[in-house]
């Protein structure tokens, strides 16, 4: 899409140049049905977010703190029944599988945690 932006003076969203995009899109994208996702990928502002959402699905991890609390426990992130991400000591079975976007959305820094990928 960066190439299209450079080559097409009229802009990447101009209808007269959109047919060129179809040839360069992956086979699982449809120019008409997936237009909002395609535009999100083309737009430099939303590109990283759109790539994770529509091209490469985000992986889920268990997030456990790098540091223990005063009692030697390692707090973890989990999502409660209201969908809020909370940071506290939990039993292993109560820890949620969360994506990087989910924990960042709630203001947590992924670098503060050890992550274990979940299949």
């Amino acid at each position: 899409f960066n190439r299209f932006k450079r080559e097409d003076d009229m802009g990447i969203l101009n209808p007269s140049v959109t047919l060129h995009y179809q040839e360069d899109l992956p086979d699982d994208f449809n120019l008409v049905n997936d237009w909002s996702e395609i535009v999100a990928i083309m737009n430099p502002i939303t590109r990283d977010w759109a790539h994770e959402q529509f091209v490469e699905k985000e992986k889920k991890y268990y997030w456990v703190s790098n540091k223990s609390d005063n009692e030697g426990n390692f707090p973890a992130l989990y999502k409660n029944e209201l969908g809020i991400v909370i940071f506290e000591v939990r039993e292993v079975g109560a820890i949620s599988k969360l994506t990087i976007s989910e924990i960042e959305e709630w203001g947590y820094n992924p670098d503060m945690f050890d992550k274990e990928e979940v299949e």
Side-chain angles (χ1 to χ4, degrees):
F1 291 113
N2 289 334
R3 178 175 53 86
F4 285 128
K5 186 176 180 188
R6 281 191 309 274
E7 294 174 1
D8 299 321
D9 294 337
M10 297 186 303
I12 59 175
L13 301 181
N14 187 305
S16 65
V17 295
T18 55
L19 291 179
H20 299 288
Y21 303 147
Q22 184 69 50
E23 298 168 4
D24 288 338
L25 290 173
D27 292 336
D28 54 344
F29 275 101
N30 178 286
L31 189 63
V32 175
N33 296 333
D34 300 322
W35 185 244
S36 60
E37 289 89 349
I38 292 168
V39 170
I41 293 168
M42 290 190 304
N43 183 342
I45 295 171
T46 58
R47 182 172 296 149
D48 291 338
W49 171 85
H51 186 267
E52 290 178 0
Q53 295 295 313
F54 306 120
V55 178
E56 186 176 306
K57 298 293 182 189
E58 275 192 290
K59 295 179 182 173
K60 293 189 176 223
Y61 302 93
Y62 290 118
W63 299 88
V64 179
S65 177
N66 293 332
K67 298 181 181 179
S68 64
D69 63 10
N70 293 339
E71 298 173 5
N73 298 312
F74 289 87
L77 294 175
Y78 75 98
K79 191 182 286 188
N80 71 8
E81 59 279 346
L82 299 174
I84 298 171
V85 175
I86 297 177
F87 177 63
E88 66 182 26
V89 175
R90 301 291 287 184
E91 292 180 20
V92 175
I95 299 172
S96 303
K97 303 168 195 170
L98 302 167
T99 65
I100 292 174
S101 296
E102 286 175 306
I103 67 166
E104 288 177 335
E105 179 181 318
W106 288 100
Y108 294 101
N109 178 355
D111 296 332
M112 295 172 51
F113 299 91
D114 289 327
K115 64 182 181 182
E116 180 183 336
E117 189 171 343
V118 179
E119 293 296 324

